[in-house]
Amino acid sequence: MTARTVGVGIGADQLDTTDMVLNIGPQHPSTHGVLRLRLVLDGERIVSAEPIVGYMHRGAEKLFEVRDYRQIVMLANRHDWLSAFANELGVVLAVERMLGMEVPQRAVWARTLLAELNRVLNHLMFLGSYPLELGAITPIFHAFREREEIQAVMEEISGGRMHFMFNRVGGLKEDLPAGWTGRVRHAVATVRTRLAGLDALVSGNEIFRARTRGVGVLSPALVAAYGVSGPIARASGVDFDLRRDEPYLAYGELADVLRVVTRREGDCLARFECLLEQVHVSLDLADACCDRLDRLPQGPVNLRLPKVLKAPEGHTYAWTENPLGLNGYYLVSRGEKTPWRLKLRSASYNNVQVLTELLPGCLIADMVAILGSLFFVVGDVDK
């Protein structure tokens, strides 16, 4: 759907100019789902851009209010469908904080390991799909091959390939299968050795570099103004990562392994490079977690809970470094078995809003490159 506004130019030849209002989406393949972009164009150049969200609104925050604390894990699992374990984790951490609950050490380290494996799954998807949006089909085959290595061990432990549902308030659903950490190490080593090929295939491609270098530059000031977070913010030189700066789970004990990956350029290429290098860091963290789990004595991975779980009256806030950025969970309880309010602060929502600043002045051909480099999931926007 388009609309045209005709005006008279000021140039020497007094040419008529036409501004076109162009709607990209909500069904366009480049919008990752039901996102709509309302663009005003002057020829091939974008004059203004407005991201319009809400086409897939699940109403999850309202549904939380009529589900008990065990059931809400299923709802939270699904908003970023590439980061299911991380989504579950944030909710159970908020409930556990409200209850003043300390989970067993074995569960803490297993959660950390699974969170990093989930981060690798998330990043590999974007490392393959982003070049595809720019016309390169081969990288996605490589990325899916590496994802299958991690998917296999995640499916073995949880029974799920996408929505793992392995977290529980008080720990995990069950203990790790015998020999599972060894299979994780093998999968991690396999992915690590193949990443160099993916890097050479994409980062070494002169066409990819020409389409992404210097395009969609995001300044640190805009990062702060819009609350942009995760690899996108770090690609603009914002050196912030909750795992290091406000440690949760076992990250406080992994400071010697955890590297916060940053770039200074803030363009599409820097965002891609941050994502790729972050995979290497997550694989290192996964190895460290396996080492620690093998040294821990056998023991419980969850706490025994009452049949009806009620959180005390009050409120709390928990936040996590999800694969796509900061996720926040504001929980308000009135002493019942269901939350009175559970507000989600999702990374993709803030990250998408900065398109209003990034797209004006760019060519329409660069729109897809910029949009894809924000690495968002629409379900994480329309919660």
Side-chain angles (χ1 to χ4, degrees):
M1 174 183 175
T2 62
R4 293 188 174 188
T5 305
V6 179
V8 178
I10 309 298
D13 49 5
Q14 294 292 304
L15 290 175
D16 288 346
T17 61
T18 302
D19 284 346
M20 176 181 288
V21 179
L22 179 66
N23 285 287
I24 303 290
Q27 74 291 330
H28 196 278
S30 73
T31 59
H32 294 227
V34 283
L35 172 69
R36 174 184 166 204
L37 290 176
R38 184 179 182 275
L39 307 178
V40 177
L41 305 177
D42 179 8
E44 288 290 314
R45 200 164 293 279
I46 298 172
V47 176
S48 66
E50 179 188 4
I52 302 173
V53 302
Y55 291 91
M56 203 187 78
H57 189 73
R58 297 169 51 236
E61 292 182 359
K62 197 65 182 174
L63 291 172
F64 288 149
E65 299 171 15
V66 291
R67 303 291 194 279
D68 67 35
Y69 286 105
R70 292 179 174 90
Q71 294 170 326
I72 63 175
V73 176
M74 182 275 293
L75 288 170
N77 176 284
R78 285 159 165 73
H79 56 87
D80 173 0
W81 46 73
L82 296 177
S83 309
F85 186 87
N87 300 339
E88 304 167 13
L89 183 62
V91 170
V92 297
L93 288 176
V95 177
E96 288 163 3
R97 180 173 293 182
M98 181 73 87
L99 292 166
M101 185 180 289
E102 292 288 336
V103 304
Q105 273 293 297
R106 192 167 177 79
V108 171
W109 281 93
R111 279 177 171 179
T112 309
L113 170 57
L114 290 164
E116 291 307 314
L117 292 178
N118 193 186
R119 195 181 309 274
V120 173
L121 284 175
N122 176 289
H123 289 359
L124 282 172
M125 174 60 81
F126 287 109
L127 291 173
S129 65
Y130 183 46
L132 180 65
E133 290 166 2
L134 298 181
I137 193 171
T138 307
I140 201 165
F141 299 132
H142 288 259
F144 265 82
R145 181 185 63 178
E146 320 323 338
R147 287 185 92 247
E148 280 303 311
E149 298 288 343
I150 306 297
Q151 286 281 45
V153 292
M154 294 292 280
E155 184 176 7
E156 179 186 357
I157 194 172
S158 68
R161 286 181 59 83
M162 195 164 185
H163 302 299
F164 304 110
M165 282 303 297
F166 199 61
N167 275 292
R168 296 292 186 273
V169 177
L172 296 171
K173 176 185 174 185
E174 56 197 14
D175 202 355
L176 314 179
W180 183 75
T181 54
R183 291 186 285 279
V184 170
R185 282 196 183 89
H186 176 74
V188 165
T190 302
V191 173
R192 185 183 284 115
T193 57
R194 292 174 177 171
L195 277 179
L198 181 62
D199 187 8
L201 186 64
V202 182
S203 301
N205 186 299
E206 62 183 35
I207 299 174
F208 178 81
R209 298 184 76 86
R211 289 292 307 276
T212 55
R213 179 182 285 166
V215 175
V217 177
L218 178 61
S219 69
L222 283 177
V223 167
Y226 281 82
V228 176
S229 58
I232 302 170
R234 292 192 284 272
S236 296
V238 178
D239 188 5
F240 181 76
D241 191 315
L242 271 183
R243 296 172 297 171
R244 178 199 64 193
D245 301 324
E246 195 172 313
Y248 58 99
L249 295 181
Y251 290 115
E253 300 182 51
L254 292 167
D256 56 333
V257 181
L258 175 62
R259 290 185 296 108
V260 178
V261 180
T262 61
R263 292 288 187 277
R264 290 291 176 187
E265 296 82 2
D267 56 11
C268 295
L269 181 60
R271 292 190 277 274
F272 181 86
E273 289 175 345
C274 266
L275 210 67
L276 180 62
E277 192 172 341
Q278 180 62 62
V279 174
H280 288 281
V281 175
S282 292
L283 294 175
D284 292 342
L285 289 168
D287 275 338
C289 289
C290 286
D291 293 341
R292 183 59 182 268
L293 281 167
D294 287 343
R295 294 197 301 269
L296 285 175
Q298 291 295 320
V301 292
N302 49 43
L303 299 176
R304 189 175 183 86
L305 300 177
K307 186 174 182 180
V308 178
L309 180 64
K310 294 184 178 181
E313 188 169 349
H315 60 92
T316 191
Y317 184 78
W319 57 342
T320 58
E321 186 71 42
N322 265 42
L324 298 181
L326 296 178
N327 269 30
Y329 305 83
Y330 180 58
L331 174 62
V332 182
S333 170
R334 290 192 170 174
E336 302 297 331
K337 66 178 183 179
T338 61
W340 183 78
R341 184 80 168 95
L342 178 54
K343 170 65 180 173
L344 298 183
R345 187 272 187 210
S346 59
S348 294
Y349 182 79
N350 290 68
N351 293 354
V352 163
Q353 301 310 309
V354 82
L355 286 168
T356 303
E357 304 280 353
L358 280 184
L359 292 180
C362 295
L363 294 172
I364 189 70
D366 291 329
M367 183 273 295
V368 175
I370 296 170
L371 186 65
S373 74
L374 294 186
F375 310 127
F376 61 90
V377 171
V378 175
D380 204 36
V381 176
D382 294 347
K383 304 180 291 296

